[in-house]
Amino acid sequence: MKRIVYIIVFVLYCVAAQAFTFALTGDVMMGTTYPEHRLPLHNGALLFRYVSPTLRSADFAMGNLEATLCDADAIPRHCKDSSICYLFKTPQHYVQNLVDAGFDALSVANNHINDFGSEGRDSTMSTLRRANIAFAGLRKMCETAIIVRNGKRIGICCFSPNAVTVNILNITYATKLVTSLCGKCDYVIVSFHGGGEGNDFLHVTREEEFCFGQSRGNVYLFAHACIDAGADLVFGHGPHVPRGMELYKGHLIAYSLGNFCTPYGIGILGINGYAPLLFVEVDDDGLFVKGRIESYVQRKGAGPIRDPKEQAAQLMKKLTVEDFPENNLYFVGNQIRIRTK
C-alpha cells in the first residue's frame, strides 16, 4: 500500500512540476483581395504545414493578425490610389487555416486592423469569435481576453500606437490592464506592435522610436513596466525584422518576432523573410525556465519553411548579446537557457 501511495505522490508531483509552454509568432497576413486578389494556392491550407506541429504541441499558441478578415465590399480607409496602398483584406474562411495551424489567440492591435474601418474590424472580430480564437487589442471593444488551456487561465492584452487600438504610448493605462488580469489569471501575456520598421531598426535603443513621422513607443520602457505590473511574458512584432530578447526579473521579453506568415503584400527579402517561432517554457509563477527559437524563412506565395541555417536564431542571438550584455540568457544552438551565477 505504501508503495502505491508513493507512486501516486510522485506522479502528482511530476504533473504539478510540469512547465507550461507557449508558442509565439510575429505577423500573420495570409493573403489579400484588395486591391486585387493576391492569395495562396489551396485557399492557404498549406501555409502552416511546417510550423503547425510546434504550434499544436504548445499549451498556448499566439501571434499577430496583420490583416482584416472580411468578405464584404468594405470601403478602404485613407487610400486615394489603390495601386500604392498597403491594405489587407483576407477572406473570412481563411480563419480555418489559423484554427488548423493551432493558434489559440491573436493580437488585433496593429496598423492594419483599421484598413477597412468598422466593417473590417467587426467582421474580423466576429470571424475569430466563431472560430473560437481569442483576440484582444481594440480600445473599448476587446482590450483584454482570458482563455483557459490545459487547466490554466491565460490573460492576454495587446497594444500598438495605431488608431482604435489600445495605445502602447499610454503606459499607465497598459499597466492597469495588466494588473486587472493578474488577479484573475494564472499567466498574463502582453503582445505589442511597436518600434520602428525595417533593417534600420534591428536594435532596441531603450529610447522612444519614430517611424514615418509617428511615435512607435519606447518598447524597452513599456515592456519593463508590464513585467513590473505582473505580466509573465512579453513579446513584440511590428518592425518586420527580428530583434533581441531580455530576461527581466526572471520573465522573458522578446522585442520583435518579425514577420511569420506574410506571403504577399509585405516585403520578405533578406532578414525581412526570417520567420522565427519562439517556444517558451515557464514555471507555475510565470518565470522563464527555458526556450528555443525555431528558424523558418518565407518565400513569395508560400508559408514559412524550415531554415537549416538557423538564420533567425543566429540573428536573435547576436542582437540579444549586443543589446542586452547584462542578460542572464545564453544560447546553445537554437536553445535559450539561463546562465547561473
Side-chain angles (χ1 to χ4, degrees):
M1 178 63 71
K2 286 185 178 180
R3 185 179 180 183
I4 294 174
V5 171
Y6 289 148
I7 292 173
I8 293 173
V9 170
F10 178 74
V11 170
L12 291 175
Y13 171 79
C14 289
V15 171
Q18 271 189 334
F20 196 86
T21 57
F22 295 89
L24 307 172
T25 81
D27 297 343
V28 174
M29 200 291 287
M30 297 176 284
T32 182
T33 60
Y34 185 89
E36 69 273 342
H37 282 60
R38 288 175 290 171
L39 299 172
L41 296 174
H42 309 295
N43 289 313
L46 302 179
L47 287 175
F48 300 103
R49 64 190 184 277
Y50 298 116
V51 297
S52 179
T54 299
L55 293 173
R56 289 193 158 281
S57 72
D59 293 307
F60 183 83
M62 182 174 176
N64 173 57
L65 182 62
E66 186 82 337
T68 60
L69 296 171
C70 184
D71 290 339
D73 190 21
I75 299 173
R77 295 175 61 85
H78 312 301
C79 181
K80 296 180 180 179
D81 182 356
S82 63
S83 66
I84 57 173
C85 281
Y86 293 93
L87 303 176
F88 304 134
K89 186 154 71 83
T90 302
Q92 287 171 242
H93 67 273
Y94 274 46
V95 74
Q96 189 61 44
N97 300 330
L98 301 171
V99 173
D100 294 341
F103 283 103
D104 296 292
L106 292 164
S107 169
V108 292
N110 54 64
N111 54 308
H112 287 288
I113 189 60
N114 202 37
D115 280 354
F116 294 89
S118 60
E119 191 169 9
R121 295 194 305 270
D122 292 344
S123 175
T124 302
M125 289 189 289
S126 63
T127 301
L128 292 173
R129 196 174 290 117
R130 286 194 299 270
N132 199 32
I133 295 177
F135 55 92
L138 297 183
R139 191 170 61 248
K140 298 182 179 179
M141 288 176 271
C142 56
E143 297 189 337
T144 64
I146 298 175
I147 313 99
V148 178
R149 288 292 182 271
N150 291 347
K152 300 291 187 180
R153 292 171 63 84
I154 302 101
I156 62 170
C157 46
C158 310
F159 305 86
S160 90
N162 305 106
V164 309
T165 68
V166 186
N167 197 342
I168 191 175
L169 305 180
N170 190 341
I171 294 180
T172 300
Y173 188 68
T175 56
K176 286 182 179 179
L177 285 184
V178 171
T179 302
S180 72
L181 287 170
C182 287
K184 308 171 187 175
C185 302
D186 296 291
Y187 302 113
V188 175
I189 311 304
V190 171
S191 167
F192 68 87
H193 205 66
E197 294 185 22
N199 296 15
D200 293 335
F201 291 93
L202 279 170
H203 292 280
V204 178
T205 64
R206 310 192 185 195
E207 299 176 351
E208 187 174 13
E209 298 180 38
F210 294 85
C211 191
F212 302 119
Q214 177 193 37
S215 172
R216 300 294 181 89
N218 182 329
V219 295
Y220 178 83
L221 185 64
F222 170 83
H224 279 222
C226 289
I227 298 293
D228 289 338
D232 296 297
L233 181 60
V234 178
F235 76 103
H237 33 79
H240 296 296
V241 292
R243 283 180 153 187
M245 296 182 296
E246 178 187 18
L247 195 66
Y248 175 64
K249 294 185 176 180
H251 298 277
L252 188 69
I253 302 170
Y255 281 96
S256 176
L257 298 180
N259 299 320
F260 185 64
C261 183
T262 53
Y264 298 102
I266 294 176
I268 54 173
L269 293 177
I271 60 176
N272 293 77
Y274 292 2
L277 195 166
L278 178 63
F279 194 90
V280 177
E281 296 184 20
V282 301
D283 66 14
D284 283 342
D285 295 319
L287 297 171
F288 177 76
V289 175
K290 62 181 179 178
R292 69 177 185 268
I293 299 169
E294 293 189 3
S295 296
Y296 298 86
V297 291
Q298 295 199 68
R299 298 290 181 265
K300 186 175 181 180
I305 61 174
R306 197 62 189 261
D307 176 17
K309 296 180 181 179
E310 298 282 356
Q311 295 173 98
Q314 291 301 317
L315 177 59
M316 292 181 71
K317 173 184 177 180
K318 177 177 180 290
L319 294 170
T320 296
V321 171
E322 291 177 353
D323 292 354
F324 305 101
E326 72 279 14
N327 235 342
N328 285 330
L329 292 178
Y330 75 96
F331 290 75
V332 180
N334 72 340
Q335 305 291 310
I336 312 164
R337 298 292 184 265
I338 302 176
R339 182 178 289 107
T340 56
K341 296 180 180 179

